[in-house]
Amino acid sequence: MRQFVLIAHDVPLEPDFSLDDLAGGAGRLDALCRSITASFVTSHGIREDVRTHLVVQDEFTITFTGSDLRRLNPDERSTAALVRNALEHREEAIGALPAEPSPGIELYRRGLADTLAELADDGPVVQLHEDGEPVVDIDAAELESGVFVLSDHRDVTEAEAELLDAHVEQRLRLGPERLHADQAITVAHHYLDTAGYDRF
């Protein structure tokens, strides 16, 4: 299973934000929703072997599981509604037990450190970063079950950088140009789908 961890610095914890102002009052949730949909949506389908974790302000993690996910459409507003609905159930997340607001979505009361620790045994933890090694230097088969970490429109904080240093096994870049997170996810999928551009 491929997994993506999206660090959301500014998404409000209170689910009272407007779905009509995702780029402003919702802390650039528009960009994060594009990343969530990019991790799952194909033409007329959805990737069932993907799980994406949205870490909100280092307090909650919303986990989307493709095999169970329902009502994920390729538009920012409907994805944002799923995020907002998950946050509306945050009081139901107690200890290690998640809230389960809708099929394929769980909300955990944990931040980045606990999320990375939970995923550490699932596959190599990889930070997609412009200063990383070229992805073509890595055997694509080694990354098939990778846990790919990306930040939102902000750089990671110093504390997050130290945490990533402790968990990340590789820092990889996907090309010579800086990409938005949703674009990086699409390229990563394509690289793995084609076994490192060897299979079409």
Side-chain angles (χ1 to χ4, degrees):
M1 174 175 287
R2 298 174 197 169
Q3 300 190 69
F4 298 91
V5 176
L6 307 172
I7 303 173
H9 294 101
D10 299 326
V11 171
L13 297 175
E14 293 291 332
D16 55 0
F17 52 84
S18 171
L19 297 179
D20 295 321
D21 187 23
L22 299 178
R28 289 312 313 267
L29 184 54
D30 60 325
L32 290 159
C33 287
R34 288 194 293 274
S35 296
I36 293 167
T37 55
S39 66
F40 290 108
V41 174
T42 61
S43 179
H44 304 291
I46 190 167
R47 294 179 185 268
E48 295 188 356
D49 59 344
V50 170
R51 187 172 286 139
T52 297
H53 312 269
L54 179 67
V55 182
V56 181
Q57 289 198 37
D58 204 31
E59 291 196 33
F60 295 101
T61 295
I62 304 171
T63 296
F64 302 78
T65 301
S67 58
D68 302 318
L69 200 53
R70 302 292 179 269
R71 298 188 299 276
L72 180 72
N73 300 307
D75 67 279
E76 298 164 15
R77 199 174 195 279
S78 63
T79 304
L82 293 175
V83 172
R84 188 173 69 177
N85 180 58
L87 290 170
E88 287 172 350
H89 290 78
R90 65 196 183 283
E91 298 305 324
E92 299 169 21
I94 302 172
L97 297 176
E100 299 180 359
S102 58
I105 299 178
E106 297 173 314
L107 181 140
Y108 293 87
R109 192 175 291 275
R110 62 187 181 208
L112 182 61
D114 289 339
T115 296
L116 291 176
E118 183 70 22
L119 303 176
D121 295 332
D122 290 354
V125 179
V126 177
Q127 183 181 12
L128 295 180
H129 195 280
E130 64 201 68
D131 295 327
E133 302 174 59
V135 70
V136 293
D137 291 345
I138 307 298
D139 184 352
E142 296 179 18
L143 301 175
E144 185 57 45
S145 61
V147 178
F148 299 93
V149 183
L150 306 96
S151 187
D152 57 9
H153 62 292
R154 290 174 46 191
D155 291 334
V156 297
T157 65
E158 185 174 328
E160 289 166 346
E162 292 177 2
L163 183 61
L164 290 172
D165 285 342
H167 285 88
V168 166
E169 299 174 39
Q170 295 172 312
R171 296 176 82 198
L172 299 178
R173 73 173 185 269
L174 299 172
E177 298 292 337
R178 297 179 66 177
L179 300 173
H180 289 164
D182 61 309
Q183 296 171 325
I185 289 170
T186 299
V187 172
H189 271 317
H190 190 251
Y191 184 74
L192 298 178
D193 289 346
T194 59
Y197 306 130
D198 285 337
R199 180 182 65 228
F200 283 85

